Amino acid sequence: MKLIMSPASPFVRKVRVLAAEIGLTAEIEELPVVTTPVDTDAMLREANPLGKIPALVLEDGRTIYDSRVITRYLDVRAQAGVYPEDRLWDVLVLEATAEGVLEAAVLMVYEGRIRPESLHYPPWIEAQWAKAIGGVQAIEARMMELLSGPLNMGQIAVACALGYLDFRHPGRDWRSGCPQLAAWYADFESRPSMIATRPET
């Protein structure tokens, strides 16, 4: 398998963490690309018409995307059980909440990096942060039980979301008012899979 990716992408990181946790890293060749929403890498566009990473090219040439589809595929392939049937809908909602946090946080980055400065709209940026921190607070208030017990994909997604907030939005204190989640993340981020995939730039 070939993973079209960028090491800094939190959506890619979810896939890489899962692959490490379930023993599939050696089966995946990583193909780094430099791409943005306004300048899509040609190889990526050929693999995924939406021009988004990650995309996973299978041995038979088929490509699957987005990150949640890829992680479900890898889970089935390895029979790892990170989408447990007895808690499936709860785990999927937890993963979706983490995805929403990530989507809002990434849009904040794009606003600063891609949109011309004269067109920046601070209320829009703050609206995205409200979505991101709202998701974080909802996890603290209603979903902590899902962060305990055997590893599931919701846990990985939440950890990657929180790691991205630290990476790209260090001046915004997501930990304030979320002591349980902060303590959980301090433990989870020490896993070898998280350390090995920690973005540097």
Side-chain angles (χ1 to χ4, degrees):
M1 295 178 285
K2 297 180 179 180
L3 182 67
I4 302 174
M5 52 81 77
S6 168
S9 165
F11 302 103
V12 168
R13 190 181 189 192
K14 284 174 50 190
V15 174
R16 298 175 79 207
V17 169
L18 176 62
E21 291 284 351
I22 64 178
L24 290 182
T25 299
E27 297 183 30
I28 299 173
E29 177 186 358
E30 295 182 348
L31 302 178
V33 297
V34 177
T35 190
T36 75
V38 296
D39 186 14
T40 303
D41 176 83
M43 177 176 62
L44 173 60
R45 187 181 298 280
E46 182 177 350
N48 178 358
L50 302 177
K52 294 182 177 183
I53 52 176
L56 184 69
V57 183
L58 305 181
E59 292 90 342
D60 63 5
R62 289 179 299 149
T63 303
I64 58 175
Y65 51 85
D66 60 16
S67 63
R68 281 182 281 187
V69 177
I70 295 171
T71 55
R72 288 297 294 267
Y73 173 82
L74 295 179
D75 179 51
V76 171
R77 181 170 177 140
Q79 298 184 347
V82 297
Y83 290 96
E85 285 296 326
D86 61 339
R87 308 176 85 186
L88 180 60
W89 299 111
D90 291 333
V91 169
L92 288 175
V93 170
L94 179 60
E95 183 182 16
T97 304
E99 286 277 317
V101 171
L102 279 178
E103 289 165 1
V106 168
L107 286 175
M108 292 171 68
V109 172
Y110 286 162
E111 180 77 4
R113 289 189 170 187
I114 295 174
R115 190 183 296 274
E117 186 174 356
S118 62
L119 298 178
H120 288 185
Y121 185 48
W124 188 88
I125 296 173
E126 293 309 311
Q128 298 309 311
W129 177 247
K131 294 176 184 179
I133 195 63
V136 170
Q137 291 169 347
I139 295 168
E140 169 80 13
R142 303 197 296 270
M143 304 179 190
M144 290 303 301
E145 180 187 357
L146 292 169
L147 297 180
S148 63
L151 182 70
N152 65 62
M153 195 58 218
Q155 295 170 6
I156 293 174
V158 168
C160 290
L162 299 177
Y164 188 75
L165 294 183
D166 283 346
F167 178 50
R168 292 299 192 202
H169 304 290
R172 295 182 183 263
D173 182 16
W174 67 261
R175 290 172 176 80
S176 178
C178 297
Q180 297 178 90
L181 188 56
W184 173 85
Y185 178 65
D187 180 62
F188 196 93
E189 71 169 340
S190 67
R191 297 174 78 101
S193 63
M194 291 290 290
I195 293 171
T197 59
R198 188 175 293 153
E200 297 179 357
T201 59

mmCIF file of all heavy atoms in Angstrom, residues 87-111:
data_model
loop_
_atom_site.group_PDB
_atom_site.id
_atom_site.type_symbol
_atom_site.label_atom_id
_atom_site.label_comp_id
_atom_site.label_asym_id
_atom_site.label_seq_id
_atom_site.Cartn_x
_atom_site.Cartn_y
_atom_site.Cartn_z
ATOM 1 N N ARG A 87 -19.725 -0.911 20.828
ATOM 2 C CA ARG A 87 -19.712 0.526 21.119
ATOM 3 C C ARG A 87 -19.585 1.334 19.834
ATOM 4 O O ARG A 87 -19.168 2.489 19.862
ATOM 5 C CB ARG A 87 -18.533 0.864 22.043
ATOM 6 C CG ARG A 87 -18.440 0.029 23.295
ATOM 7 C CD ARG A 87 -17.198 0.370 24.108
ATOM 8 N NE ARG A 87 -17.429 1.493 24.982
ATOM 9 C CZ ARG A 87 -16.476 2.072 25.723
ATOM 10 N NH1 ARG A 87 -15.247 1.622 25.685
ATOM 11 N NH2 ARG A 87 -16.757 3.089 26.510
ATOM 12 N N LEU A 88 -19.961 0.739 18.716
ATOM 13 C CA LEU A 88 -19.639 1.324 17.414
ATOM 14 C C LEU A 88 -20.154 2.743 17.261
ATOM 15 O O LEU A 88 -19.406 3.643 16.875
ATOM 16 C CB LEU A 88 -20.181 0.451 16.291
ATOM 17 C CG LEU A 88 -19.907 0.973 14.866
ATOM 18 C CD1 LEU A 88 -18.415 1.084 14.623
ATOM 19 C CD2 LEU A 88 -20.555 0.051 13.846
ATOM 20 N N TRP A 89 -21.426 2.966 17.555
ATOM 21 C CA TRP A 89 -21.985 4.296 17.296
ATOM 22 C C TRP A 89 -21.374 5.338 18.211
ATOM 23 O O TRP A 89 -21.132 6.486 17.783
ATOM 24 C CB TRP A 89 -23.512 4.253 17.412
ATOM 25 C CG TRP A 89 -24.092 3.309 16.411
ATOM 26 C CD1 TRP A 89 -24.701 2.106 16.650
ATOM 27 C CD2 TRP A 89 -24.043 3.449 14.986
ATOM 28 N NE1 TRP A 89 -25.044 1.496 15.467
ATOM 29 C CE2 TRP A 89 -24.653 2.305 14.423
ATOM 30 C CE3 TRP A 89 -23.556 4.425 14.120
ATOM 31 C CZ2 TRP A 89 -24.785 2.111 13.058
ATOM 32 C CZ3 TRP A 89 -23.681 4.246 12.752
ATOM 33 C CH2 TRP A 89 -24.292 3.105 12.239
ATOM 34 N N ASP A 90 -21.100 4.970 19.450
ATOM 35 C CA ASP A 90 -20.451 5.919 20.357
ATOM 36 C C ASP A 90 -19.040 6.256 19.887
ATOM 37 O O ASP A 90 -18.620 7.417 19.931
ATOM 38 C CB ASP A 90 -20.395 5.342 21.775
ATOM 39 C CG ASP A 90 -21.772 5.248 22.417
ATOM 40 O OD1 ASP A 90 -22.659 6.039 22.049
ATOM 41 O OD2 ASP A 90 -21.956 4.375 23.280
ATOM 42 N N VAL A 91 -18.301 5.243 19.438
ATOM 43 C CA VAL A 91 -16.940 5.484 18.948
ATOM 44 C C VAL A 91 -16.969 6.340 17.691
ATOM 45 O O VAL A 91 -16.152 7.258 17.522
ATOM 46 C CB VAL A 91 -16.209 4.146 18.699
ATOM 47 C CG1 VAL A 91 -14.903 4.364 17.935
ATOM 48 C CG2 VAL A 91 -15.934 3.442 20.022
ATOM 49 N N LEU A 92 -17.927 6.081 16.801
ATOM 50 C CA LEU A 92 -18.030 6.886 15.582
ATOM 51 C C LEU A 92 -18.376 8.334 15.893
ATOM 52 O O LEU A 92 -17.862 9.265 15.250
ATOM 53 C CB LEU A 92 -19.075 6.284 14.647
ATOM 54 C CG LEU A 92 -18.692 4.975 13.959
ATOM 55 C CD1 LEU A 92 -19.871 4.435 13.162
ATOM 56 C CD2 LEU A 92 -17.482 5.159 13.048
ATOM 57 N N VAL A 93 -19.237 8.566 16.873
ATOM 58 C CA VAL A 93 -19.570 9.948 17.250
ATOM 59 C C VAL A 93 -18.351 10.626 17.876
ATOM 60 O O VAL A 93 -18.074 11.805 17.594
ATOM 61 C CB VAL A 93 -20.769 9.974 18.212
ATOM 62 C CG1 VAL A 93 -20.956 11.371 18.808
ATOM 63 C CG2 VAL A 93 -22.039 9.555 17.480
ATOM 64 N N LEU A 94 -17.617 9.908 18.702
ATOM 65 C CA LEU A 94 -16.391 10.476 19.284
ATOM 66 C C LEU A 94 -15.413 10.833 18.183
ATOM 67 O O LEU A 94 -14.821 11.928 18.179
ATOM 68 C CB LEU A 94 -15.768 9.474 20.258
ATOM 69 C CG LEU A 94 -14.463 9.902 20.933
ATOM 70 C CD1 LEU A 94 -14.656 11.168 21.753
ATOM 71 C CD2 LEU A 94 -13.928 8.761 21.810
ATOM 72 N N GLU A 95 -15.232 9.926 17.219
ATOM 73 C CA GLU A 95 -14.326 10.207 16.107
ATOM 74 C C GLU A 95 -14.821 11.397 15.297
ATOM 75 O O GLU A 95 -14.032 12.272 14.900
ATOM 76 C CB GLU A 95 -14.185 8.982 15.212
ATOM 77 C CG GLU A 95 -13.194 9.171 14.074
ATOM 78 C CD GLU A 95 -13.088 7.983 13.150
ATOM 79 O OE1 GLU A 95 -13.979 7.102 13.176
ATOM 80 O OE2 GLU A 95 -12.107 7.929 12.383
ATOM 81 N N ALA A 96 -16.118 11.475 15.046
ATOM 82 C CA ALA A 96 -16.676 12.590 14.286
ATOM 83 C C ALA A 96 -16.486 13.917 15.024
ATOM 84 O O ALA A 96 -16.231 14.954 14.400
ATOM 85 C CB ALA A 96 -18.152 12.351 14.004
ATOM 86 N N THR A 97 -16.600 13.888 16.342
ATOM 87 C CA THR A 97 -16.371 15.107 17.128
ATOM 88 C C THR A 97 -14.933 15.573 16.985
ATOM 89 O O THR A 97 -14.663 16.759 16.776
ATOM 90 C CB THR A 97 -16.718 14.853 18.609
ATOM 91 O OG1 THR A 97 -18.069 14.392 18.706
ATOM 92 C CG2 THR A 97 -16.556 16.118 19.426
ATOM 93 N N ALA A 98 -14.001 14.633 17.088
ATOM 94 C CA ALA A 98 -12.587 14.976 16.902
ATOM 95 C C ALA A 98 -12.331 15.499 15.493
ATOM 96 O O ALA A 98 -11.559 16.449 15.306
ATOM 97 C CB ALA A 98 -11.713 13.754 17.186
ATOM 98 N N GLU A 99 -12.968 14.889 14.498
ATOM 99 C CA GLU A 99 -12.821 15.365 13.114
ATOM 100 C C GLU A 99 -13.322 16.797 12.979
ATOM 101 O O GLU A 99 -12.728 17.614 12.279
ATOM 102 C CB GLU A 99 -13.603 14.458 12.166
ATOM 103 C CG GLU A 99 -12.968 13.115 11.921
ATOM 104 C CD GLU A 99 -11.898 13.144 10.852
ATOM 105 O OE1 GLU A 99 -12.101 13.782 9.805
ATOM 106 O OE2 GLU A 99 -10.847 12.520 11.071
ATOM 107 N N GLY A 100 -14.447 17.104 13.633
ATOM 108 C CA GLY A 100 -14.963 18.461 13.576
ATOM 109 C C GLY A 100 -14.017 19.465 14.209
ATOM 110 O O GLY A 100 -13.844 20.584 13.699
ATOM 111 N N VAL A 101 -13.404 19.081 15.319
ATOM 112 C CA VAL A 101 -12.391 19.937 15.942
ATOM 113 C C VAL A 101 -11.258 20.197 14.955
ATOM 114 O O VAL A 101 -10.815 21.338 14.760
ATOM 115 C CB VAL A 101 -11.852 19.284 17.236
ATOM 116 C CG1 VAL A 101 -10.639 20.062 17.763
ATOM 117 C CG2 VAL A 101 -12.950 19.200 18.291
ATOM 118 N N LEU A 102 -10.789 19.141 14.313
ATOM 119 C CA LEU A 102 -9.693 19.270 13.355
ATOM 120 C C LEU A 102 -10.071 20.142 12.168
ATOM 121 O O LEU A 102 -9.294 21.002 11.741
ATOM 122 C CB LEU A 102 -9.261 17.893 12.859
ATOM 123 C CG LEU A 102 -8.336 17.109 13.767
ATOM 124 C CD1 LEU A 102 -8.037 15.749 13.166
ATOM 125 C CD2 LEU A 102 -7.044 17.884 13.995
ATOM 126 N N GLU A 103 -11.250 19.925 11.620
ATOM 127 C CA GLU A 103 -11.654 20.693 10.448
ATOM 128 C C GLU A 103 -11.690 22.185 10.752
ATOM 129 O O GLU A 103 -11.214 23.001 9.956
ATOM 130 C CB GLU A 103 -13.015 20.205 9.959
ATOM 131 C CG GLU A 103 -12.948 18.824 9.313
ATOM 132 C CD GLU A 103 -14.306 18.180 9.144
ATOM 133 O OE1 GLU A 103 -15.327 18.810 9.522
ATOM 134 O OE2 GLU A 103 -14.356 17.041 8.654
ATOM 135 N N ALA A 104 -12.237 22.546 11.901
ATOM 136 C CA ALA A 104 -12.284 23.955 12.278
ATOM 137 C C ALA A 104 -10.880 24.513 12.518
ATOM 138 O O ALA A 104 -10.554 25.628 12.074
ATOM 139 C CB ALA A 104 -13.142 24.122 13.533
ATOM 140 N N ALA A 105 -10.031 23.736 13.192
ATOM 141 C CA ALA A 105 -8.667 24.198 13.480
ATOM 142 C C ALA A 105 -7.843 24.357 12.211
ATOM 143 O O ALA A 105 -7.044 25.292 12.084
ATOM 144 C CB ALA A 105 -7.991 23.228 14.441
ATOM 145 N N VAL A 106 -8.034 23.460 11.252
ATOM 146 C CA VAL A 106 -7.317 23.554 9.981
ATOM 147 C C VAL A 106 -7.797 24.768 9.188
ATOM 148 O O VAL A 106 -6.985 25.490 8.577
ATOM 149 C CB VAL A 106 -7.485 22.260 9.161
ATOM 150 C CG1 VAL A 106 -7.006 22.438 7.727
ATOM 151 C CG2 VAL A 106 -6.711 21.118 9.826
ATOM 152 N N LEU A 107 -9.082 25.044 9.194
ATOM 153 C CA LEU A 107 -9.598 26.216 8.493
ATOM 154 C C LEU A 107 -9.011 27.503 9.076
ATOM 155 O O LEU A 107 -8.767 28.465 8.333
ATOM 156 C CB LEU A 107 -11.127 26.244 8.561
ATOM 157 C CG LEU A 107 -11.844 25.235 7.670
ATOM 158 C CD1 LEU A 107 -13.345 25.276 7.924
ATOM 159 C CD2 LEU A 107 -11.544 25.485 6.191
ATOM 160 N N MET A 108 -8.783 27.536 10.356
ATOM 161 C CA MET A 108 -8.141 28.701 10.972
ATOM 162 C C MET A 108 -6.731 28.887 10.421
ATOM 163 O O MET A 108 -6.293 30.013 10.156
ATOM 164 C CB MET A 108 -8.092 28.533 12.485
ATOM 165 C CG MET A 108 -9.461 28.590 13.167
ATOM 166 S SD MET A 108 -9.356 28.112 14.908
ATOM 167 C CE MET A 108 -8.407 29.485 15.584
ATOM 168 N N VAL A 109 -6.017 27.787 10.246
ATOM 169 C CA VAL A 109 -4.656 27.859 9.692
ATOM 170 C C VAL A 109 -4.709 28.348 8.249
ATOM 171 O O VAL A 109 -3.937 29.219 7.841
ATOM 172 C CB VAL A 109 -3.961 26.495 9.788
ATOM 173 C CG1 VAL A 109 -2.631 26.506 9.034
ATOM 174 C CG2 VAL A 109 -3.735 26.119 11.252
ATOM 175 N N TYR A 110 -5.625 27.802 7.463
ATOM 176 C CA TYR A 110 -5.743 28.223 6.063
ATOM 177 C C TYR A 110 -6.056 29.713 5.955
ATOM 178 O O TYR A 110 -5.561 30.394 5.046
ATOM 179 C CB TYR A 110 -6.838 27.426 5.364
ATOM 180 C CG TYR A 110 -6.484 25.998 5.048
ATOM 181 C CD1 TYR A 110 -7.479 25.063 4.771
ATOM 182 C CD2 TYR A 110 -5.159 25.554 5.045
ATOM 183 C CE1 TYR A 110 -7.163 23.744 4.471
ATOM 184 C CE2 TYR A 110 -4.840 24.245 4.757
ATOM 185 C CZ TYR A 110 -5.850 23.341 4.474
ATOM 186 O OH TYR A 110 -5.544 22.042 4.189
ATOM 187 N N GLU A 111 -6.883 30.220 6.848
ATOM 188 C CA GLU A 111 -7.228 31.641 6.810
ATOM 189 C C GLU A 111 -5.978 32.500 6.938
ATOM 190 O O GLU A 111 -5.823 33.505 6.252
ATOM 191 C CB GLU A 111 -8.205 31.960 7.937
ATOM 192 C CG GLU A 111 -8.641 33.419 8.016
ATOM 193 C CD GLU A 111 -9.672 33.810 6.985
ATOM 194 O OE1 GLU A 111 -10.139 32.920 6.228
ATOM 195 O OE2 GLU A 111 -10.023 34.992 6.910
#
